Coordinates of all heavy atoms in Angstrom, one line a residue:
M1 N 3.5 7.5 2.4 CA 3.8 6.0 2.1 C 3.4 5.7 0.7 O 2.3 6.0 0.4 CB 3.1 5.2 3.3 CG 3.2 3.7 3.0 SD 2.6 2.8 4.3 CE 0.8 3.0 4.0
V2 N 4.1 4.8 0.1 CA 3.7 4.3 -1.2 C 3.5 2.8 -1.0 O 4.3 2.1 -0.5 CB 4.7 4.5 -2.3 CG1 4.3 3.8 -3.5 CG2 5.0 6.0 -2.5
L3 N 2.3 2.3 -1.3 CA 1.9 1.0 -1.2 C 2.0 0.3 -2.6 O 1.3 0.8 -3.5 CB 0.5 0.8 -0.6 CG -0.2 -0.5 -0.3 CD1 0.7 -1.2 0.8 CD2 -1.5 -0.3 0.3
M4 N 2.8 -0.7 -2.6 CA 3.0 -1.4 -3.9 C 2.4 -2.7 -3.9 O 2.7 -3.5 -3.2 CB 4.4 -1.5 -4.3 CG 5.2 -0.3 -4.5 SD 6.8 -0.3 -4.4 CE 7.2 -1.3 -5.9
L5 N 1.2 -2.9 -4.7 CA 0.3 -4.1 -4.6 C 0.6 -5.0 -5.9 O 0.9 -4.4 -7.0 CB -1.0 -3.7 -4.5 CG -1.4 -2.9 -3.4 CD1 -2.9 -2.4 -3.4 CD2 -1.2 -3.6 -2.1
D6 N 0.5 -6.2 -5.8 CA 0.7 -7.2 -6.8 C -0.5 -7.0 -7.9 O -1.6 -7.2 -7.6 CB 0.7 -8.6 -6.2 CG 1.0 -9.7 -7.3 OD1 1.3 -9.3 -8.4 OD2 1.1 -10.9 -6.9
P7 N 0.0 -6.6 -9.2 CA -1.1 -6.5 -10.1 C -1.7 -7.8 -10.6 O -2.9 -7.6 -11.2 CB -0.2 -5.8 -11.3 CG 1.1 -6.2 -11.1 CD 1.4 -6.3 -9.5
V8 N -1.2 -8.8 -10.2 CA -1.7 -10.1 -10.7 C -2.9 -10.5 -9.7 O -3.8 -11.2 -9.9 CB -0.6 -11.3 -10.7 CG1 -1.2 -12.6 -10.9 CG2 0.4 -10.9 -11.8
A9 N -2.8 -10.1 -8.4 CA -3.9 -10.3 -7.4 C -5.2 -9.7 -7.9 O -5.2 -8.7 -8.7 CB -3.5 -9.6 -6.1
P10 N -6.3 -10.3 -7.5 CA -7.6 -9.8 -7.9 C -7.8 -8.4 -7.6 O -7.3 -7.9 -6.4 CB -8.6 -10.6 -7.3 CG -7.8 -12.0 -6.9 CD -6.4 -11.4 -6.7
E11 N -8.4 -7.6 -8.3 CA -8.7 -6.1 -8.1 C -9.3 -5.9 -6.8 O -9.1 -5.0 -6.0 CB -9.3 -5.3 -9.2 CG -9.5 -4.0 -8.9 CD -10.1 -3.2 -10.3 OE1 -10.2 -4.0 -11.3 OE2 -10.4 -2.1 -10.1
E12 N -10.4 -6.8 -6.5 CA -11.1 -6.7 -5.2 C -10.1 -6.8 -4.0 O -10.2 -6.0 -3.0 CB -12.1 -7.8 -5.0 CG -13.3 -7.7 -6.0 CD -12.8 -8.3 -7.4 OE1 -12.0 -9.3 -7.4 OE2 -13.4 -7.9 -8.4
R13 N -9.2 -7.7 -4.1 CA -8.1 -7.8 -3.0 C -7.3 -6.6 -2.9 O -7.0 -6.1 -1.8 CB -7.3 -9.1 -3.2 CG -6.3 -9.4 -2.1 CD -6.8 -9.6 -0.8 NE -5.6 -9.7 0.1 CZ -5.8 -9.3 1.4 NH1 -7.0 -8.8 1.9 NH2 -4.9 -9.4 2.2
R14 N -6.8 -6.1 -3.9 CA -6.0 -4.9 -3.9 C -6.7 -3.7 -3.2 O -6.2 -3.0 -2.4 CB -5.5 -4.5 -5.3 CG -4.5 -5.6 -5.8 CD -4.0 -5.0 -7.3 NE -5.2 -5.2 -8.1 CZ -5.2 -5.2 -9.4 NH1 -4.1 -4.7 -9.9 NH2 -6.3 -5.2 -10.1
D15 N -8.0 -3.6 -3.8 CA -8.9 -2.5 -3.2 C -9.1 -2.7 -1.7 O -9.1 -1.8 -0.9 CB -10.1 -2.4 -3.8 CG -10.0 -1.9 -5.3 OD1 -8.9 -1.1 -5.6 OD2 -10.9 -2.0 -6.1
E16 N -9.2 -4.0 -1.2 CA -9.5 -4.3 0.2 C -8.3 -3.9 0.9 O -8.4 -3.4 2.0 CB -9.8 -5.7 0.2 CG -10.0 -6.2 1.7 CD -10.2 -7.7 1.8 OE1 -10.6 -8.3 0.8 OE2 -9.8 -8.3 2.8
V17 N -7.1 -4.2 0.5 CA -5.7 -3.9 1.2 C -5.8 -2.4 1.3 O -5.4 -1.9 2.5 CB -4.6 -4.5 0.6 CG1 -3.3 -3.9 1.2 CG2 -4.6 -6.0 0.7
A18 N -5.9 -1.7 0.3 CA -5.7 -0.1 0.3 C -6.8 0.4 1.2 O -6.5 1.3 1.9 CB -6.0 0.2 -1.2
S19 N -8.0 0.0 1.1 CA -9.0 0.4 1.9 C -8.8 0.2 3.5 O -8.9 1.2 4.3 CB -10.5 -0.3 1.7 OG -11.4 0.3 2.5
E20 N -8.3 -0.8 3.8 CA -8.0 -1.2 5.3 C -6.8 -0.4 5.7 O -6.9 0.1 6.8 CB -7.6 -2.7 5.3 CG -7.3 -3.1 6.7 CD -8.5 -3.0 7.8 OE1 -9.6 -3.0 7.4 OE2 -8.2 -2.8 8.9
T21 N -5.8 -0.2 4.8 CA -4.7 0.7 5.1 C -5.2 2.1 5.4 O -4.9 2.8 6.4 CB -3.7 0.6 4.0 OG1 -3.2 -0.7 3.9 CG2 -2.4 1.5 4.3
R22 N -6.1 2.6 4.5 CA -6.6 4.0 4.6 C -7.3 4.1 5.9 O -7.3 5.1 6.6 CB -7.5 4.3 3.5 CG -8.0 5.8 3.4 CD -8.8 6.1 2.4 NE -9.3 7.4 2.5 CZ -9.2 8.3 1.4 NH1 -8.8 7.9 0.3 NH2 -9.6 9.6 1.6
K23 N -8.2 3.2 6.4 CA -9.0 3.2 7.6 C -8.1 3.2 8.7 O -8.5 3.9 9.7 CB -9.9 1.9 7.6 CG -11.1 2.1 6.6 CD -11.9 0.9 6.8 CE -13.1 0.8 5.8 NZ -13.6 -0.6 5.7
R24 N -7.0 2.4 8.8 CA -6.1 2.4 9.8 C -5.3 3.7 10.0 O -5.3 4.2 11.1 CB -5.0 1.4 9.7 CG -5.6 0.0 10.1 CD -4.5 -0.9 9.8 NE -5.0 -2.4 10.1 CZ -4.4 -3.2 11.2 NH1 -3.4 -2.7 11.8 NH2 -5.0 -4.3 11.4
I25 N -5.0 4.4 8.8 CA -4.4 5.6 9.0 C -5.3 6.7 9.5 O -5.0 7.5 10.3 CB -3.8 6.1 7.6 CG1 -2.7 5.2 7.1 CG2 -3.5 7.6 7.5 CD1 -2.3 5.4 5.6
E26 N -6.6 6.7 9.0 CA -7.6 7.7 9.4 C -8.0 7.5 11.0 O -8.2 8.5 11.6 CB -8.8 7.5 8.6 CG -8.5 8.1 7.2 CD -9.7 7.9 6.3 OE1 -10.6 7.1 6.5 OE2 -9.7 8.6 5.3
S27 N -8.0 6.3 11.4 CA -8.3 6.0 12.8 C -7.2 6.5 13.8 O -7.5 6.8 14.8 CB -8.8 4.6 13.1 OG -7.7 3.8 12.9
G28 N -5.8 6.3 13.4 CA -4.9 6.6 14.3 C -3.9 7.7 13.9 O -3.0 7.9 14.5
G29 N -4.3 8.4 12.8 CA -3.4 9.5 12.5 C -4.2 10.6 11.6 O -5.5 10.6 11.7
E30 N -3.6 11.5 11.0 CA -4.2 12.5 10.1 C -3.7 12.2 8.6 O -2.7 12.5 8.3 CB -3.7 13.8 10.6 CG -4.2 15.0 9.8 CD -3.7 16.2 10.1 OE1 -2.9 16.3 11.2 OE2 -3.8 17.2 9.3
L31 N -4.8 11.8 7.9 CA -4.5 11.5 6.5 C -4.5 12.9 5.7 O -5.6 13.6 5.7 CB -5.5 10.7 5.9 CG -5.5 10.2 4.4 CD1 -4.1 9.5 4.2 CD2 -6.6 9.5 3.8
Q32 N -3.5 13.2 5.1 CA -3.5 14.6 4.3 C -3.7 14.5 3.0 O -4.3 15.3 2.3 CB -2.0 15.2 4.5 CG -1.7 15.4 5.9 CD -0.2 16.0 6.2 OE1 0.6 15.6 5.3 NE2 -0.1 16.8 7.2
H33 N -3.2 13.3 2.3 CA -3.6 13.1 0.9 C -3.5 11.6 0.5 O -2.7 10.8 1.1 CB -2.5 13.9 0.0 CG -2.7 13.7 -1.4 ND1 -3.5 14.5 -2.0 CD2 -2.1 13.0 -2.4 CE1 -3.5 14.2 -3.4 NE2 -2.6 13.4 -3.6
A34 N -4.4 11.1 -0.3 CA -4.5 9.7 -0.8 C -4.8 9.8 -2.4 O -5.4 10.6 -2.8 CB -5.5 9.0 -0.1
D35 N -4.0 8.9 -3.0 CA -4.1 8.9 -4.4 C -3.8 7.5 -5.0 O -3.0 6.7 -4.4 CB -3.1 9.9 -5.0 CG -3.4 10.3 -6.5 OD1 -4.6 9.8 -7.0 OD2 -2.5 10.9 -7.1
T36 N -4.3 7.1 -6.1 CA -4.2 5.9 -6.8 C -3.4 6.2 -8.0 O -4.0 6.9 -8.9 CB -5.5 5.1 -7.1 OG1 -6.3 4.9 -5.9 CG2 -5.2 3.9 -7.9
W37 N -2.2 5.7 -8.1 CA -1.3 6.0 -9.2 C -1.5 4.9 -10.4 O -1.1 5.0 -11.5 CB 0.1 6.1 -8.9 CG 0.5 7.2 -8.0 CD1 -0.3 8.3 -7.8 CD2 1.7 7.4 -7.2 NE1 0.5 9.1 -6.9 CE2 1.6 8.6 -6.7 CE3 2.8 6.6 -7.2 CZ2 2.6 9.2 -5.9 CZ3 3.9 7.2 -6.4 CH2 3.7 8.4 -5.7
G38 N -2.2 3.8 -10.0 CA -2.3 2.7 -11.0 C -1.2 1.9 -11.2 O -0.2 1.9 -10.5
T39 N -1.3 1.0 -12.3 CA -0.1 0.0 -12.5 C 1.1 0.9 -13.2 O 0.8 1.4 -14.2 CB -0.6 -1.1 -13.3 OG1 -1.7 -1.7 -12.6 CG2 0.4 -2.1 -13.5
R40 N 2.2 0.7 -12.7 CA 3.5 1.2 -13.2 C 4.5 0.2 -13.3 O 4.6 -0.7 -12.4 CB 3.9 2.4 -12.5 CG 2.8 3.6 -12.5 CD 3.2 4.7 -11.6 NE 2.4 5.8 -11.7 CZ 2.7 7.1 -11.8 NH1 3.8 7.5 -11.9 NH2 1.7 8.0 -11.8
K41 N 5.6 0.4 -14.0 CA 6.7 -0.5 -14.2 C 7.7 0.1 -13.0 O 7.8 1.2 -12.7 CB 7.5 -0.1 -15.5 CG 8.6 -1.1 -15.7 CD 9.1 -1.1 -17.1 CE 10.1 -2.0 -17.5 NZ 9.9 -3.4 -17.4
M42 N 8.1 -1.0 -12.2 CA 9.0 -0.9 -11.2 C 10.5 -0.8 -11.7 O 10.8 -1.1 -12.7 CB 8.9 -2.1 -10.2 CG 7.6 -2.1 -9.6 SD 7.6 -3.4 -8.3 CE 7.7 -5.0 -9.1
A43 N 11.3 -0.1 -10.9 CA 12.8 0.1 -11.2 C 13.5 -1.3 -11.2 O 14.4 -1.4 -11.9 CB 13.3 1.1 -10.2
F44 N 13.0 -2.2 -10.4 CA 13.6 -3.5 -10.2 C 12.7 -4.5 -9.9 O 11.6 -4.2 -9.4 CB 14.8 -3.5 -9.3 CG 14.6 -3.1 -8.0 CD1 14.1 -4.0 -7.0 CD2 14.6 -1.8 -7.7 CE1 13.7 -3.6 -5.7 CE2 14.4 -1.3 -6.3 CZ 13.9 -2.2 -5.3
E45 N 12.8 -5.8 -10.2 CA 11.9 -6.9 -10.0 C 11.7 -7.1 -8.6 O 12.8 -7.2 -7.9 CB 12.5 -8.1 -10.8 CG 11.4 -9.1 -10.9 CD 12.0 -10.2 -11.8 OE1 12.1 -10.1 -13.0 OE2 12.3 -11.3 -11.3
I46 N 10.5 -7.3 -8.2 CA 10.2 -7.9 -6.8 C 9.4 -9.0 -6.9 O 8.2 -8.8 -7.5 CB 9.5 -6.7 -5.9 CG1 10.5 -5.5 -5.8 CG2 9.3 -7.2 -4.5 CD1 9.8 -4.4 -5.1
A47 N 9.7 -10.0 -6.2 CA 8.8 -11.3 -6.3 C 8.4 -11.7 -7.7 O 7.3 -12.0 -8.0 CB 7.5 -11.2 -5.3
Q48 N 9.4 -11.6 -8.6 CA 9.2 -11.9 -10.0 C 8.2 -11.2 -10.7 O 7.6 -11.6 -11.6 CB 9.0 -13.4 -10.1 CG 10.1 -14.3 -9.6 CD 9.7 -15.8 -9.7 OE1 8.6 -16.2 -9.9 NE2 10.7 -16.6 -9.4
R49 N 8.1 -9.9 -10.2 CA 7.0 -9.0 -10.9 C 7.8 -7.8 -11.3 O 8.7 -7.3 -10.6 CB 5.9 -8.5 -9.9 CG 5.2 -9.7 -9.3 CD 4.1 -10.2 -10.1 NE 3.1 -11.0 -9.5 CZ 3.3 -12.3 -9.5 NH1 4.2 -12.9 -10.4 NH2 2.3 -13.1 -8.9
T50 N 7.5 -7.3 -12.4 CA 8.1 -6.1 -13.0 C 7.2 -4.8 -12.9 O 7.6 -3.7 -13.3 CB 8.5 -6.2 -14.5 OG1 7.4 -6.6 -15.4 CG2 9.5 -7.3 -14.7
E51 N 5.9 -5.1 -12.5 CA 5.0 -3.9 -12.3 C 4.3 -4.0 -11.0 O 4.2 -5.2 -10.4 CB 4.0 -3.9 -13.4 CG 4.5 -3.6 -14.9 CD 3.3 -3.6 -15.9 OE1 2.4 -4.3 -15.6 OE2 3.6 -3.0 -17.0
A52 N 3.7 -2.9 -10.5 CA 3.0 -3.0 -9.3 C 1.8 -1.9 -9.4 O 2.0 -1.0 -10.2 CB 3.8 -2.6 -8.2
D53 N 0.8 -2.3 -8.8 CA -0.4 -1.3 -8.6 C 0.0 -0.3 -7.4 O 0.1 -0.8 -6.2 CB -1.7 -2.0 -8.2 CG -2.9 -1.1 -8.2 OD1 -2.7 0.2 -8.3 OD2 -4.0 -1.7 -7.9
Y54 N 0.3 1.0 -7.8 CA 0.8 1.9 -6.7 C -0.5 2.7 -6.1 O -1.3 3.1 -6.6 CB 1.8 2.9 -7.3 CG 3.1 2.4 -7.6 CD1 3.2 1.6 -8.7 CD2 4.2 2.8 -6.8 CE1 4.6 1.1 -9.0 CE2 5.5 2.4 -7.2 CZ 5.6 1.6 -8.3 OH 7.0 1.0 -8.5
R55 N -0.3 2.8 -4.7 CA -1.3 3.6 -4.0 C -0.4 4.5 -3.0 O 0.5 4.0 -2.3 CB -2.3 2.8 -3.1 CG -2.8 1.7 -3.7 CD -3.9 2.1 -4.8 NE -4.5 1.0 -5.6 CZ -5.6 0.3 -5.4 NH1 -6.4 0.9 -4.4 NH2 -5.9 -0.6 -6.1
F56 N -0.8 5.8 -3.0 CA 0.1 6.8 -2.3 C -0.9 7.4 -1.2 O -2.0 7.7 -1.3 CB 0.5 8.0 -3.3 CG 1.1 9.1 -2.7 CD1 2.5 9.0 -2.1 CD2 0.5 10.3 -2.4 CE1 3.2 10.0 -1.6 CE2 1.1 11.3 -1.8 CZ 2.5 11.2 -1.3
Y57 N -0.1 7.5 0.0 CA -0.7 8.0 1.2 C 0.4 8.9 1.9 O 1.4 8.5 2.2 CB -1.1 7.0 2.2 CG -2.2 6.0 1.7 CD1 -1.7 4.7 1.3 CD2 -3.5 6.3 1.7 CE1 -2.6 3.8 0.8 CE2 -4.4 5.2 1.1 CZ -3.9 4.1 0.7 OH -4.8 3.2 0.2
R58 N -0.1 10.2 2.2 CA 0.6 11.2 2.9 C -0.1 11.4 4.2 O -1.3 11.7 4.2 CB 0.8 12.4 2.1 CG 1.7 13.4 3.1 CD 1.9 14.7 2.3 NE 2.6 14.6 1.1 CZ 2.3 15.2 -0.1 NH1 1.4 16.1 -0.1 NH2 2.9 14.9 -1.2
F59 N 0.5 11.1 5.3 CA -0.2 11.3 6.7 C 0.9 11.6 7.8 O 2.0 11.4 7.6 CB -0.9 10.0 6.9 CG -0.1 8.8 7.1 CD1 0.4 8.3 8.4 CD2 0.3 8.1 6.0 CE1 1.2 7.3 8.5 CE2 1.1 6.9 6.1 CZ 1.5 6.4 7.3
N60 N 0.2 12.0 8.8 CA 1.0 12.4 10.1 C 0.3 11.3 11.1 O -0.8 11.2 11.2 CB 0.6 13.7 10.8 CG 1.3 14.8 9.8 OD1 2.4 14.6 9.2 ND2 0.7 15.9 9.7
A61 N 1.3 10.7 11.8 CA 0.9 9.5 12.8 C 2.1 9.3 13.8 O 3.2 9.6 13.5 CB 0.5 8.3 12.1
G62 N 1.7 8.7 14.7 CA 2.6 8.4 15.9 C 3.4 7.1 15.4 O 2.9 6.5 14.5
A63 N 4.3 6.7 16.3 CA 5.1 5.4 16.1 C 4.3 4.1 16.2 O 4.5 3.3 15.5 CB 6.3 5.3 17.1
D64 N 3.2 4.3 16.9 CA 2.3 3.0 17.2 C 1.7 2.7 16.0 O 1.5 1.5 15.4 CB 1.3 3.3 18.3 CG 1.9 3.4 19.7 OD1 3.0 3.0 19.9 OD2 1.2 3.9 20.6
L65 N 1.0 3.7 15.2 CA 0.4 3.4 14.0 C 1.4 2.9 12.9 O 1.1 2.0 12.1 CB -0.3 4.6 13.4 CG -1.0 4.5 12.1 CD1 -2.1 3.5 12.2 CD2 -1.6 5.8 11.6
L66 N 2.6 3.4 12.8 CA 3.6 3.0 12.0 C 4.0 1.6 12.2 O 4.1 0.7 11.2 CB 4.9 3.9 11.9 CG 4.7 5.3 11.5 CD1 5.9 6.0 11.7 CD2 4.1 5.4 10.0
E67 N 4.2 1.2 13.5 CA 4.4 -0.2 13.7 C 3.2 -1.3 13.4 O 3.5 -2.3 12.9 CB 4.6 -0.4 15.3 CG 5.9 0.3 15.8 CD 6.2 0.2 17.2 OE1 5.4 -0.3 18.0 OE2 7.1 0.9 17.6
Q68 N 2.0 -0.7 13.6 CA 0.8 -1.5 13.3 C 0.8 -1.8 11.7 O 0.5 -2.9 11.3 CB -0.5 -0.9 13.8 CG -0.7 -0.9 15.1 CD -2.0 -0.1 15.6 OE1 -2.8 0.5 14.8 NE2 -2.0 0.3 16.9
L69 N 0.9 -0.7 11.0 CA 1.0 -0.8 9.5 C 2.0 -1.6 9.1 O 2.0 -2.5 8.1 CB 1.1 0.6 8.8 CG -0.1 1.6 9.0 CD1 0.2 2.9 8.5 CD2 -1.3 1.0 8.3
D70 N 3.3 -1.4 9.7 CA 4.4 -2.4 9.2 C 4.1 -3.9 9.4 O 4.4 -4.8 8.6 CB 5.7 -2.0 10.0 CG 6.9 -2.7 9.7 OD1 7.3 -2.7 8.5 OD2 7.5 -3.5 10.6
H71 N 3.6 -4.2 10.6 CA 3.2 -5.5 10.9 C 2.1 -6.2 10.0 O 2.3 -7.2 9.4 CB 2.7 -5.7 12.4 CG 2.2 -7.1 12.7 ND1 3.1 -8.2 12.8 CD2 1.1 -7.5 12.9 CE1 2.4 -9.3 13.1 NE2 1.2 -8.9 13.1
S72 N 1.1 -5.4 9.8 CA -0.1 -5.9 9.1 C 0.3 -5.8 7.5 O -0.2 -6.9 6.8 CB -1.4 -5.1 9.3 OG -1.1 -3.7 8.8
L73 N 0.9 -5.1 7.0 CA 1.3 -4.9 5.6 C 2.4 -6.2 5.2 O 2.4 -6.6 4.0 CB 1.7 -3.7 5.2 CG 0.7 -2.6 5.1 CD1 1.2 -1.2 4.8 CD2 -0.5 -2.9 4.2
K74 N 3.3 -6.5 6.1 CA 4.3 -7.4 6.0 C 3.6 -8.8 5.8 O 4.1 -9.7 4.9 CB 5.3 -7.5 7.2 CG 6.3 -6.5 7.0 CD 7.3 -6.8 8.1 CE 8.4 -5.6 8.1 NZ 9.3 -5.8 9.3
I75 N 2.4 -9.1 6.4 CA 1.8 -10.4 6.3 C 0.6 -10.4 5.4 O 0.1 -11.5 5.1 CB 1.4 -10.9 7.9 CG1 0.4 -9.9 8.3 CG2 2.7 -11.1 8.7 CD1 -0.2 -10.3 9.7
A76 N 0.2 -9.3 4.8 CA -0.9 -9.2 3.9 C -0.5 -9.9 2.5 O 0.4 -9.6 2.0 CB -1.4 -7.8 3.8
D77 N -1.5 -10.7 2.0 CA -1.3 -11.2 0.7 C -1.5 -10.1 -0.3 O -2.4 -9.2 -0.3 CB -2.4 -12.3 0.4 CG -2.1 -13.6 1.3 OD1 -1.0 -13.8 1.7 OD2 -3.0 -14.1 1.6
G78 N -0.8 -10.1 -1.3 CA -0.9 -9.0 -2.6 C -0.1 -7.9 -2.3 O -0.1 -7.0 -3.1
V79 N 0.7 -7.6 -1.2 CA 1.6 -6.5 -0.9 C 2.9 -6.9 -1.4 O 3.5 -7.8 -0.8 CB 1.5 -5.9 0.5 CG1 2.5 -4.8 0.7 CG2 0.1 -5.6 0.8
L80 N 3.5 -6.1 -2.3 CA 4.9 -6.3 -2.7 C 5.9 -5.7 -1.8 O 6.9 -6.2 -1.4 CB 5.0 -6.0 -4.2 CG 4.2 -6.8 -5.3 CD1 4.6 -6.2 -6.6 CD2 4.7 -8.2 -5.2
R81 N 5.6 -4.3 -1.6 CA 6.3 -3.4 -0.8 C 5.6 -2.3 -0.4 O 4.6 -1.9 -1.1 CB 7.6 -3.1 -1.6 CG 8.6 -2.2 -0.8 CD 10.0 -2.3 -1.4 NE 10.6 -3.5 -1.2 CZ 11.8 -3.9 -1.9 NH1 12.4 -3.0 -2.4 NH2 12.1 -5.1 -1.6
F82 N 6.2 -1.6 0.7 CA 5.5 -0.4 1.2 C 6.5 0.5 1.7 O 7.6 0.2 2.1 CB 4.3 -0.6 2.1 CG 4.8 -1.6 3.3 CD1 5.2 -0.8 4.5 CD2 4.8 -2.9 3.3 CE1 5.7 -1.6 5.6 CE2 5.3 -3.6 4.4 CZ 5.7 -3.0 5.5

């Protein structure tokens, strides 16, 4: 999963969202790899932003965890796409 965070949001908020996502993955699945790719230009504009702070997670999990992540990331401030 690639988590695309708003680069205009405070760094503390971006780190908080990424940390919470990682904790949920580790508690409900098996995290294989996590990486911070930093701020990169996006292929197309989202929410009037041309760049995003990218966080990468590779994991194995059941459908329940995917549904929980989908719900929480859709309503989280500072998340452009995931």
Side-chain angles (χ1 to χ4, degrees):
M1 173 176 74
V2 176
L3 184 61
M4 298 166 63
L5 304 172
D6 188 352
V8 177
E11 187 173 349
E12 297 84 26
R13 176 66 186 144
R14 292 180 293 183
D15 289 341
E16 179 183 334
V17 170
S19 175
E20 180 63 30
T21 301
R22 183 180 181 132
K23 286 177 188 174
R24 283 181 180 238
I25 292 170
E26 290 175 338
S27 69
E30 177 188 346
L31 181 65
Q32 295 175 337
H33 183 76
D35 199 8
T36 300
W37 291 349
T39 303
R40 295 176 177 223
K41 188 167 180 68
M42 295 188 291
F44 55 90
E45 191 174 293
I46 299 173
Q48 301 175 349
R49 303 282 189 258
T50 58
E51 294 183 334
D53 181 2
Y54 285 75
R55 311 292 172 104
F56 174 76
Y57 301 98
R58 181 179 301 139
F59 61 95
N60 289 326
D64 291 343
L65 177 62
L66 294 177
E67 289 174 11
Q68 290 174 9
L69 288 172
D70 182 61
H71 175 73
S72 64
L73 292 174
K74 279 183 181 176
I75 61 174
D77 292 334
V79 176
L80 295 176
R81 185 158 290 174
F82 56 94

